[in-house]
Protein backbone atom coordinates (compact mmCIF):
# COMPACT_ATOMS: atom_id res chain seq x y z
CA UNK A 1 0.00 0.00 0.00
CA UNK A 2 1.30 3.45 -0.90
CA UNK A 3 2.05 5.72 2.00
CA UNK A 4 3.40 9.22 2.55
CA UNK A 5 5.38 10.44 5.52
CA UNK A 6 6.01 14.08 6.32
CA UNK A 7 8.98 14.47 8.62
CA UNK A 8 9.26 17.84 10.34
CA UNK A 9 12.73 18.57 11.68
CA UNK A 10 12.56 21.25 14.36
CA UNK A 11 9.13 20.10 15.47
CA UNK A 12 9.35 21.73 18.88
CA UNK A 13 9.74 25.15 17.22
CA UNK A 14 7.21 27.87 16.70
CA UNK A 15 6.51 27.27 13.03
CA UNK A 16 5.41 23.66 13.50
CA UNK A 17 2.65 24.45 15.97
CA UNK A 18 1.67 27.80 14.57
CA UNK A 19 1.61 27.05 10.85
CA UNK A 20 2.69 23.61 9.65
CA UNK A 21 0.56 21.22 11.65
CA UNK A 22 -2.55 23.48 11.53
CA UNK A 23 -2.08 23.62 7.73
CA UNK A 24 -1.75 19.83 7.53
CA UNK A 25 -4.79 19.45 9.75
CA UNK A 26 -6.79 21.70 7.44
CA UNK A 27 -5.64 19.79 4.38
CA UNK A 28 -6.70 16.58 6.13
CA UNK A 29 -10.07 18.10 7.05
CA UNK A 30 -10.61 19.05 3.40
CA UNK A 31 -9.71 15.51 2.33
CA UNK A 32 -6.61 16.67 0.46
CA UNK A 33 -3.83 14.71 2.10
CA UNK A 34 -2.85 11.54 0.27
CA UNK A 35 -4.21 8.36 1.78
CA UNK A 36 -2.02 6.90 4.51
CA UNK A 37 -0.22 10.09 5.38
CA UNK A 38 1.82 10.16 8.56
CA UNK A 39 3.46 13.15 10.16
CA UNK A 40 6.55 12.64 12.26
CA UNK A 41 7.86 15.50 14.34
CA UNK A 42 11.51 15.41 15.26
CA UNK A 43 13.55 17.61 17.58
CA UNK A 44 15.82 17.27 20.57
CA UNK A 45 13.11 17.62 23.18
CA UNK A 46 11.84 14.33 24.51
CA UNK A 47 8.17 13.85 23.67
CA UNK A 48 6.11 10.71 23.45
CA UNK A 49 3.70 10.42 20.53
CA UNK A 50 0.90 11.18 23.01
CA UNK A 51 2.58 14.29 24.41
CA UNK A 52 3.29 15.56 20.90
CA UNK A 53 -0.33 15.00 19.91
CA UNK A 54 -1.56 16.85 23.00
CA UNK A 55 0.66 19.83 22.15
CA UNK A 56 -0.46 19.83 18.52
CA UNK A 57 -4.11 19.64 19.57
CA UNK A 58 -3.65 22.81 21.59
CA UNK A 59 -1.89 24.53 18.70
CA UNK A 60 -4.52 23.55 16.17
CA UNK A 61 -7.25 24.75 18.49
CA UNK A 62 -5.44 28.04 18.76
CA UNK A 63 -4.14 28.60 15.24
CA UNK A 64 -6.77 26.88 13.11
CA UNK A 65 -9.44 28.00 15.56
CA UNK A 66 -12.67 28.15 13.59
CA UNK A 67 -11.83 24.93 11.78
CA UNK A 68 -11.11 22.79 14.79
CA UNK A 69 -13.59 20.10 15.53
CA UNK A 70 -13.10 17.25 17.93
CA UNK A 71 -14.31 14.55 15.56
CA UNK A 72 -11.91 15.48 12.78
CA UNK A 73 -9.13 15.79 15.32
CA UNK A 74 -9.79 12.24 16.56
CA UNK A 75 -9.30 10.98 13.00
CA UNK A 76 -6.25 13.14 12.37
CA UNK A 77 -4.43 12.55 15.69
CA UNK A 78 -3.29 8.95 15.05
CA UNK A 79 -1.28 10.14 12.05
CA UNK A 80 0.96 12.26 14.31
CA UNK A 81 4.13 10.76 15.73
CA UNK A 82 7.28 11.97 17.35
CA UNK A 83 10.88 10.85 17.28
CA UNK A 84 13.45 12.72 19.31
CA UNK A 85 16.83 13.28 17.73
CA UNK A 86 19.93 15.42 17.78
CA UNK A 87 20.65 17.17 14.47
CA UNK A 88 24.33 16.31 14.67
CA UNK A 89 24.07 12.61 15.60
CA UNK A 90 24.15 10.15 12.74
CA UNK A 91 22.76 7.45 15.01
CA UNK A 92 19.62 9.49 15.51
CA UNK A 93 19.08 9.76 11.75
CA UNK A 94 19.67 6.02 11.41
CA UNK A 95 17.08 5.41 14.13
CA UNK A 96 14.65 7.71 12.34
CA UNK A 97 15.32 5.97 9.04
CA UNK A 98 14.60 2.66 10.70
CA UNK A 99 11.33 3.91 12.14
CA UNK A 100 10.33 5.31 8.78
CA UNK A 101 11.10 2.02 7.05
CA UNK A 102 9.18 0.08 9.66
CA UNK A 103 6.14 2.28 8.96
CA UNK A 104 6.53 2.11 5.22
CA UNK A 105 7.49 -1.43 4.42
CA UNK A 106 9.19 -1.58 1.04
CA UNK A 107 7.94 1.67 -0.43
CA UNK A 108 6.89 5.05 0.90
CA UNK A 109 6.95 8.62 -0.25
CA UNK A 110 8.65 11.12 2.02
CA UNK A 111 8.55 14.86 2.40
CA UNK A 112 11.11 16.26 4.80
CA UNK A 113 10.54 19.73 6.22
CA UNK A 114 13.61 21.53 7.52
CA UNK A 115 12.21 23.92 10.08
CA UNK A 116 15.41 24.40 12.05
CA UNK A 117 17.77 27.34 12.50
CA UNK A 118 19.72 27.87 9.25
CA UNK A 119 23.07 27.05 10.82
CA UNK A 120 21.81 23.46 11.11
CA UNK A 121 20.93 23.09 7.39
CA UNK A 122 24.36 21.76 6.35
CA UNK A 123 24.67 19.22 9.14
CA UNK A 124 21.07 18.06 8.81
CA UNK A 125 21.32 17.61 5.06
CA UNK A 126 24.65 15.83 5.09
CA UNK A 127 23.46 13.51 7.87
CA UNK A 128 20.33 12.71 5.90
CA UNK A 129 22.60 11.83 3.01
CA UNK A 130 24.82 9.67 5.20
CA UNK A 131 21.78 7.85 6.60
CA UNK A 132 20.56 7.10 3.07
CA UNK A 133 17.44 9.19 3.56
CA UNK A 134 17.73 11.18 0.32
CA UNK A 135 18.01 8.38 -2.24
CA UNK A 136 14.90 8.25 -4.35
CA UNK A 137 14.13 5.56 -6.86
CA UNK A 138 11.02 4.12 -8.43
CA UNK A 139 11.16 1.42 -5.76
CA UNK A 140 11.57 3.64 -2.70
CA UNK A 141 9.02 6.35 -3.58
CA UNK A 142 9.92 10.03 -3.72
CA UNK A 143 12.18 11.89 -1.29
CA UNK A 144 11.57 15.64 -1.23
CA UNK A 145 12.81 18.32 1.08
CA UNK A 146 11.29 21.70 1.94
CA UNK A 147 13.76 24.28 3.17
CA UNK A 148 12.71 27.41 5.05
CA UNK A 149 14.27 30.81 4.59
CA UNK A 150 16.75 32.38 5.16
CA UNK A 151 18.49 30.71 2.28
CA UNK A 152 22.01 31.95 2.88
CA UNK A 153 22.86 35.49 3.91
CA UNK A 154 24.48 36.61 0.66
CA UNK A 155 25.37 35.23 -2.76
CA UNK A 156 28.49 33.43 -1.58
CA UNK A 157 26.78 31.62 1.28
CA UNK A 158 23.70 30.84 -0.84
CA UNK A 159 25.92 29.29 -3.52
CA UNK A 160 27.77 27.29 -0.90
CA UNK A 161 24.47 26.10 0.55
CA UNK A 162 23.10 25.17 -2.88
CA UNK A 163 26.33 23.31 -3.64
CA UNK A 164 26.11 21.50 -0.35
CA UNK A 165 22.46 20.55 -0.84
CA UNK A 166 23.14 19.28 -4.33
CA UNK A 167 25.65 16.79 -2.94
CA UNK A 168 22.75 15.04 -1.22
CA UNK A 169 19.54 16.07 -3.01
CA UNK A 170 19.01 16.76 -6.69
CA UNK A 171 17.47 20.15 -7.49
CA UNK A 172 14.18 18.50 -8.43
CA UNK A 173 13.89 17.15 -4.87
CA UNK A 174 14.35 20.58 -3.28
CA UNK A 175 11.49 22.94 -2.41
CA UNK A 176 12.68 26.33 -1.10
CA UNK A 177 9.69 27.86 0.53
CA UNK A 178 8.65 31.51 0.41
CA UNK A 179 5.30 31.75 2.16
CA UNK A 180 4.35 34.83 0.12
CA UNK A 181 3.94 32.58 -2.91
CA UNK A 182 1.40 30.55 -0.95
CA UNK A 183 -0.83 33.58 -0.57
CA UNK A 184 -3.96 33.46 -2.76
CA UNK A 185 -3.59 37.08 -3.77
CA UNK A 186 -0.06 36.53 -5.02
CA UNK A 187 -1.05 33.54 -7.14
CA UNK A 188 -3.94 35.62 -8.38
CA UNK A 189 -1.46 38.04 -9.96
CA UNK A 190 -0.78 35.33 -12.53
CA UNK A 191 -4.49 34.79 -13.13
CA UNK A 192 -5.14 38.52 -13.32
CA UNK A 193 -2.41 38.99 -15.88
CA UNK A 194 -2.59 35.80 -17.91
CA UNK A 195 -6.23 34.69 -17.75
CA UNK A 196 -7.66 38.09 -18.67
CA UNK A 197 -7.11 39.78 -21.98
CA UNK A 198 -7.63 43.36 -20.86
CA UNK A 199 -4.63 43.93 -18.58
CA UNK A 200 -1.72 42.49 -20.49
CA UNK A 201 -1.82 44.92 -23.45
CA UNK A 202 -1.25 47.85 -21.08
CA UNK A 203 1.15 46.05 -18.73
CA UNK A 204 4.30 47.67 -20.02
CA UNK A 205 6.36 50.84 -20.31
CA UNK A 206 3.94 52.41 -22.80
CA UNK A 207 1.16 52.60 -20.23
CA UNK A 208 2.71 52.04 -16.82
CA UNK A 209 4.34 55.02 -15.16
CA UNK A 210 5.75 53.09 -12.22
CA UNK A 211 5.05 50.23 -9.82
CA UNK A 212 4.93 50.37 -6.02
CA UNK A 213 5.30 47.39 -3.72
CA UNK A 214 4.69 47.96 -0.01
CA UNK A 215 4.99 45.31 2.67
CA UNK A 216 4.41 47.09 5.97
CA UNK A 217 4.23 45.58 9.42
CA UNK A 218 3.20 46.96 12.80
CA UNK A 219 5.26 44.47 14.83
CA UNK A 220 8.84 45.10 15.88
CA UNK A 221 11.63 42.53 16.13
CA UNK A 222 10.05 40.99 19.23
CA UNK A 223 12.10 38.07 20.51
CA UNK A 224 13.91 37.59 17.21
CA UNK A 225 16.67 40.17 17.71
CA UNK A 226 19.37 37.49 17.55
CA UNK A 227 18.33 36.59 14.02
CA UNK A 228 17.19 40.03 12.93
CA UNK A 229 20.33 41.89 13.95
CA UNK A 230 22.31 39.79 11.47
CA UNK A 231 19.64 39.95 8.85
CA UNK A 232 17.89 43.32 8.67
CA UNK A 233 15.02 44.20 6.41
CA UNK A 234 16.77 43.56 3.09
CA UNK A 235 17.62 39.96 3.94
CA UNK A 236 14.47 39.32 5.93
CA UNK A 237 11.90 40.74 3.49
CA UNK A 238 13.37 42.02 0.21
CA UNK A 239 15.58 39.16 -0.90
CA UNK A 240 12.60 36.85 -0.78
CA UNK A 241 9.07 38.26 -0.43
CA UNK A 242 9.38 41.64 -2.15
CA UNK A 243 11.53 40.43 -5.01
CA UNK A 244 9.17 37.49 -5.52
CA UNK A 245 6.26 39.91 -5.77
CA UNK A 246 8.26 41.94 -8.27
CA UNK A 247 8.88 38.89 -10.45
CA UNK A 248 5.17 38.08 -10.57
CA UNK A 249 4.38 41.62 -11.68
CA UNK A 250 7.22 41.93 -14.18
CA UNK A 251 7.57 38.47 -15.72
CA UNK A 252 6.65 37.54 -19.27
CA UNK A 253 3.84 35.02 -19.67
CA UNK A 254 5.29 31.49 -19.55
CA UNK A 255 4.14 29.24 -22.38
CA UNK A 256 2.70 26.72 -19.92
CA UNK A 257 1.88 26.71 -16.22
CA UNK A 258 4.65 24.42 -15.16
CA UNK A 259 7.35 24.87 -12.52
CA UNK A 260 10.38 25.36 -14.71
CA UNK A 261 8.61 27.41 -17.37
CA UNK A 262 7.40 29.80 -14.66
CA UNK A 263 10.68 29.91 -12.82
CA UNK A 264 12.63 30.52 -16.04
CA UNK A 265 10.58 33.68 -16.55
CA UNK A 266 11.15 34.79 -12.96
CA UNK A 267 14.88 34.26 -13.32
CA UNK A 268 14.88 36.43 -16.46
CA UNK A 269 13.30 39.25 -14.46
CA UNK A 270 15.72 38.96 -11.56
CA UNK A 271 18.69 38.84 -13.89
CA UNK A 272 17.48 42.09 -15.50
CA UNK A 273 17.02 44.02 -12.25
CA UNK A 274 19.53 46.79 -11.81
CA UNK A 275 19.99 47.94 -8.23
CA UNK A 276 21.14 51.49 -7.51
CA UNK A 277 24.91 51.76 -7.12
CA UNK A 278 27.48 54.53 -6.69
CA UNK A 279 25.99 58.00 -6.44
CA UNK A 280 22.51 56.65 -7.20
CA UNK A 281 22.50 54.66 -4.02
CA UNK A 282 21.93 57.65 -1.73
CA UNK A 283 19.10 58.83 -3.98
CA UNK A 284 17.42 55.52 -4.63
CA UNK A 285 17.92 53.41 -1.51
CA UNK A 286 16.68 54.67 1.84
CA UNK A 287 17.47 52.81 5.04
CA UNK A 288 16.15 53.46 8.50
CA UNK A 289 15.61 52.09 11.99
CA UNK A 290 12.52 52.50 14.08
CA UNK A 291 12.75 54.72 17.09
CA UNK A 292 13.94 52.68 20.06
CA UNK A 293 15.21 49.75 17.97
CA UNK A 294 18.64 49.97 19.60
CA UNK A 295 17.04 49.58 23.02
CA UNK A 296 15.22 46.37 22.11
CA UNK A 297 16.43 43.31 24.05
CA UNK A 298 19.27 41.63 22.18
CA UNK A 299 19.94 44.59 19.87
CA UNK A 300 23.37 46.20 19.78
CA UNK A 301 23.40 49.74 21.19
CA UNK A 302 25.23 50.88 18.02
CA UNK A 303 23.34 48.61 15.66
CA UNK A 304 23.48 49.51 11.99
CA UNK A 305 20.74 47.05 11.07
CA UNK A 306 17.96 48.59 8.99
CA UNK A 307 14.39 47.78 10.01
CA UNK A 308 13.04 49.75 7.04
CA UNK A 309 14.17 50.18 3.47
CA UNK A 310 12.79 51.82 0.35
CA UNK A 311 14.42 51.05 -2.99
CA UNK A 312 14.03 52.17 -6.54
CA UNK A 313 14.83 49.37 -8.94
CA UNK A 314 14.66 49.09 -12.70
CA UNK A 315 14.00 45.99 -14.75
CA UNK A 316 16.21 46.51 -17.75
CA UNK A 317 14.31 44.82 -20.52
CA UNK A 318 12.09 45.65 -23.48
CA UNK A 319 8.86 45.68 -21.47
CA UNK A 320 9.98 47.72 -18.47
CA UNK A 321 12.78 50.00 -19.67
CA UNK A 322 12.60 53.27 -17.71
CA UNK A 323 9.73 52.21 -15.42
CA UNK A 324 10.75 52.53 -11.76
CA UNK A 325 9.75 49.84 -9.30
CA UNK A 326 9.56 51.37 -5.83
CA UNK A 327 9.77 48.77 -3.07
CA UNK A 328 9.41 49.50 0.63
CA UNK A 329 9.10 47.42 3.74
CA UNK A 330 9.55 47.98 7.44
CA UNK A 331 8.61 47.07 10.96
CA UNK A 332 6.67 49.18 13.50
CA UNK A 333 4.88 51.07 10.75
CA UNK A 334 1.39 52.53 10.77
CA UNK A 335 -0.42 49.44 9.51
CA UNK A 336 0.04 45.80 8.58
CA UNK A 337 -0.48 45.81 4.89
CA UNK A 338 0.94 44.30 1.70
CA UNK A 339 -0.04 46.17 -1.44
CA UNK A 340 1.11 46.40 -5.01
CA UNK A 341 0.13 49.38 -7.12
CA UNK A 342 0.46 49.63 -10.86
CA UNK A 343 0.38 53.33 -11.56
CA UNK A 344 -0.59 54.15 -15.13
CA UNK A 345 0.49 57.15 -17.17
CA UNK A 346 -1.57 60.28 -17.50
CA UNK A 347 -3.94 60.64 -20.41
CA UNK A 348 -1.95 62.06 -23.33
CA UNK A 349 -4.24 65.05 -23.66
CA UNK A 350 -6.31 66.84 -21.02
CA UNK A 351 -9.75 67.49 -22.42
CA UNK A 352 -11.34 68.84 -19.26
CA UNK A 353 -9.91 72.01 -17.85
CA UNK A 354 -12.06 72.20 -14.80
CA UNK A 355 -10.29 69.81 -12.48
CA UNK A 356 -11.99 70.62 -9.20
CA UNK A 357 -12.13 67.59 -6.90
CA UNK A 358 -9.30 65.81 -8.62
CA UNK A 359 -5.61 66.30 -8.13
CA UNK A 360 -3.41 67.52 -10.94
CA UNK A 361 -1.45 64.35 -10.48
CA UNK A 362 -4.43 62.05 -10.86
CA UNK A 363 -3.78 58.94 -12.89
CA UNK A 364 -5.35 55.53 -13.06
CA UNK A 365 -3.98 52.89 -10.84
CA UNK A 366 -4.62 49.26 -10.13
CA UNK A 367 -3.95 48.21 -6.54
CA UNK A 368 -3.51 44.60 -5.61
CA UNK A 369 -4.27 44.19 -1.93
CA UNK A 370 -2.23 41.16 -0.99
CA UNK A 371 -3.37 41.45 2.64
CA UNK A 372 -5.50 42.23 4.59
CA UNK A 373 -8.91 42.79 2.92
CA UNK A 374 -7.57 40.86 -0.04
CA UNK A 375 -8.68 42.11 -3.43
CA UNK A 376 -8.19 44.54 -6.28
CA UNK A 377 -9.03 48.21 -6.70
CA UNK A 378 -9.03 49.99 -10.02
CA UNK A 379 -9.06 53.73 -9.73
CA UNK A 380 -10.38 55.98 -12.45
CA UNK A 381 -11.89 59.41 -12.88
CA UNK A 382 -15.66 59.87 -12.93
CA UNK A 383 -17.71 62.94 -13.64
CA UNK A 384 -19.12 64.40 -10.46
CA UNK A 385 -22.89 64.55 -10.97
CA UNK A 386 -24.46 67.93 -11.33
CA UNK A 387 -21.16 69.83 -11.26
CA UNK A 388 -20.32 70.77 -14.80
CA UNK A 389 -17.40 68.64 -15.98
CA UNK A 390 -15.80 68.30 -12.55
CA UNK A 391 -14.30 64.91 -11.89
CA UNK A 392 -13.57 62.71 -8.94
CA UNK A 393 -11.48 59.61 -8.49
CA UNK A 394 -13.59 56.50 -7.88
CA UNK A 395 -12.74 52.85 -7.30
CA UNK A 396 -13.97 49.67 -8.89
CA UNK A 397 -13.35 47.05 -6.24
CA UNK A 398 -13.09 43.32 -5.94
CA UNK A 399 -12.92 41.87 -2.41
CA UNK A 400 -12.32 38.19 -1.82
CA UNK A 401 -14.65 38.40 1.17
CA UNK A 402 -17.64 39.51 -0.84
CA UNK A 403 -16.99 37.36 -3.89
CA UNK A 404 -15.88 34.15 -2.21
CA UNK A 405 -16.96 34.43 1.45
CA UNK A 406 -15.32 35.45 4.69
CA UNK A 407 -13.33 32.28 5.13
CA UNK A 408 -12.33 31.66 1.52
CA UNK A 409 -8.64 32.41 1.97
CA UNK A 410 -6.60 29.53 3.36
CA UNK A 411 -3.26 29.85 5.13
CA UNK A 412 -0.35 30.06 2.69
CA UNK A 413 1.23 26.89 4.09
CA UNK A 414 -1.79 24.78 3.17
CA UNK A 415 -1.27 25.30 -0.52
CA UNK A 416 2.50 25.05 -0.38
CA UNK A 417 2.56 21.81 1.59
CA UNK A 418 0.05 20.31 -0.77
CA UNK A 419 2.04 21.41 -3.82
CA UNK A 420 5.19 19.83 -2.42
CA UNK A 421 3.28 16.60 -1.76
CA UNK A 422 2.03 16.71 -5.34
CA UNK A 423 5.49 17.42 -6.76
CA UNK A 424 4.56 20.85 -8.05
CA UNK A 425 7.48 23.22 -7.49
CA UNK A 426 5.99 26.20 -9.36
CA UNK A 427 5.53 28.19 -6.17
CA UNK A 428 8.96 27.37 -4.76
CA UNK A 429 12.22 29.14 -5.53
CA UNK A 430 14.84 27.44 -7.67
CA UNK A 431 18.54 27.73 -6.80
CA UNK A 432 19.30 30.23 -9.58
CA UNK A 433 16.39 32.49 -8.52
CA UNK A 434 17.79 32.63 -5.01
CA UNK A 435 21.23 33.49 -6.32
CA UNK A 436 20.05 36.30 -8.62
CA UNK A 437 18.02 37.77 -5.78
CA UNK A 438 21.10 37.79 -3.56
CA UNK A 439 23.11 39.57 -6.26
CA UNK A 440 20.65 42.46 -6.06
CA UNK A 441 20.64 42.58 -2.27
CA UNK A 442 24.42 42.17 -2.03
CA UNK A 443 24.93 45.16 -4.33
CA UNK A 444 22.86 47.35 -2.03
CA UNK A 445 24.52 46.07 1.12
CA UNK A 446 27.92 46.68 -0.44
CA UNK A 447 26.88 50.27 -1.10
CA UNK A 448 25.56 50.68 2.41
CA UNK A 449 28.89 49.47 3.77
CA UNK A 450 30.86 51.75 1.44
CA UNK A 451 31.88 55.43 1.34
CA UNK A 452 28.72 56.58 -0.48
CA UNK A 453 26.36 55.00 2.02
CA UNK A 454 23.21 57.00 2.73
CA UNK A 455 22.76 57.89 6.40
CA UNK A 456 20.77 55.60 8.67
CA UNK A 457 17.51 57.43 9.35
CA UNK A 458 15.24 56.99 12.33
CA UNK A 459 11.47 56.89 11.94
CA UNK A 460 8.75 57.42 14.45
CA UNK A 461 6.71 54.45 15.56
CA UNK A 462 3.40 54.02 13.84
CA UNK A 463 4.30 56.16 10.83
CA UNK A 464 4.93 55.19 7.21
CA UNK A 465 8.70 55.38 7.62
CA UNK A 466 11.27 58.13 7.18
CA UNK A 467 10.63 61.27 5.18
CA UNK A 468 13.56 60.37 2.97
CA UNK A 469 11.40 57.64 1.44
CA UNK A 470 8.75 60.22 0.49
CA UNK A 471 11.47 62.50 -0.82
CA UNK A 472 12.82 59.67 -2.98
CA UNK A 473 9.53 59.58 -4.92
CA UNK A 474 8.89 63.31 -4.71
CA UNK A 475 12.13 63.98 -6.61
CA UNK A 476 10.56 62.11 -9.52
CA UNK A 477 7.25 63.96 -9.10
CA UNK A 478 5.62 60.89 -7.56
CA UNK A 479 4.25 59.84 -4.19
CA UNK A 480 3.42 56.65 -2.31
CA UNK A 481 -0.11 55.39 -2.67
CA UNK A 482 -1.69 54.83 0.72
CA UNK A 483 -3.86 51.89 1.61
CA UNK A 484 -7.01 53.94 0.99
CA UNK A 485 -5.85 54.51 -2.57
CA UNK A 486 -4.95 58.16 -2.00
CA UNK A 487 -1.53 59.49 -2.80
CA UNK A 488 0.50 60.67 0.13
CA UNK A 489 1.11 64.33 -0.64
C1 LIG B 1 8.83 36.56 7.50
C2 LIG B 1 9.80 37.49 8.15
O1 LIG B 1 9.40 35.90 6.42
O2 LIG B 1 7.69 37.29 7.04
C3 LIG B 1 9.14 38.24 9.30
O3 LIG B 1 10.91 36.77 8.64
C4 LIG B 1 7.86 38.91 8.83
O4 LIG B 1 10.04 39.20 9.85
C5 LIG B 1 6.97 37.93 8.06
O5 LIG B 1 7.19 39.39 9.98
C6 LIG B 1 5.80 38.65 7.42
O6 LIG B 1 4.91 37.72 6.87
P1 LIG B 1 3.37 38.07 6.67
O7 LIG B 1 2.80 36.88 5.98
O8 LIG B 1 2.82 38.26 8.07
O9 LIG B 1 3.30 39.33 5.87
Amino acid sequence: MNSTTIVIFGASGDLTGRKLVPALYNNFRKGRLPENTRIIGSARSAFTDEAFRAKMREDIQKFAAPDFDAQTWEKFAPSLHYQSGDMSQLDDYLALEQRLSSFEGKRGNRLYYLSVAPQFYPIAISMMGAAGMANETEQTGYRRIIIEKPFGRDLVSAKALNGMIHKTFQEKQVYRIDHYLGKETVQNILVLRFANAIFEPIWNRNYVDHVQITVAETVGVGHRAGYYEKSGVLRDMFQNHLLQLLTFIAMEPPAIYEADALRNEKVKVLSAVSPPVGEDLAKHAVRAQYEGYRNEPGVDKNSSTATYAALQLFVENWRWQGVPFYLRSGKKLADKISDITIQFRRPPHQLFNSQAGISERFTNHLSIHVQPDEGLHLRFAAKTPDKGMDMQPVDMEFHYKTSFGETAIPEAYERLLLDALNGDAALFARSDEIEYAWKIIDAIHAGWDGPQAPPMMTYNLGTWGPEAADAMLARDGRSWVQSDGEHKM
Side-chain angles (χ1 to χ4, degrees), residues 455-488:
M456 176 69 77
M457 310 286 183
T458 305
Y459 56 100
N460 294 332
L461 306 182
T463 63
W464 285 102
E467 277 172 14
D470 298 339
M472 182 172 102
L473 269 68
R475 274 196 298 273
D476 301 339
R478 300 183 175 112
S479 56
W480 293 105
V481 175
Q482 301 173 140
S483 47
D484 59 4
E486 298 302 328
H487 278 268
K488 190 174 176 200

Side-chain angles (χ1 to χ4, degrees), residues 29 106 111 163-164 179 181 241 252 289 305 421 427 467 470:
R29 187 175 62 80
K106 285 205 178 65
L111 176 64
M164 198 251 120
H179 77 280
L181 299 189
H241 311 323
E252 296 301 317
Q289 273 177 354
T305 300
L421 287 168
L427 298 175
E467 277 172 14
D470 298 339

Side-chain angles (χ1 to χ4, degrees), residues 5-13 15-17 19-21 24 38-43 52 56 80-83 87 96 111-116 417:
T5 308
I6 301 163
V7 184
I8 304 176
F9 293 98
S12 55
L15 188 74
T16 303
K19 300 283 184 191
L20 303 181
V21 174
L24 289 167
R38 258 178 244 102
I39 299 154
I40 301 196
S42 178
F52 184 59
M56 291 302 113
L80 289 169
H81 303 268
Y82 187 83
Q83 169 96 13
M87 292 258 97
L96 178 61
L111 176 64
Y112 304 117
Y113 200 115
L114 218 48
S115 172
V116 298
L417 282 162

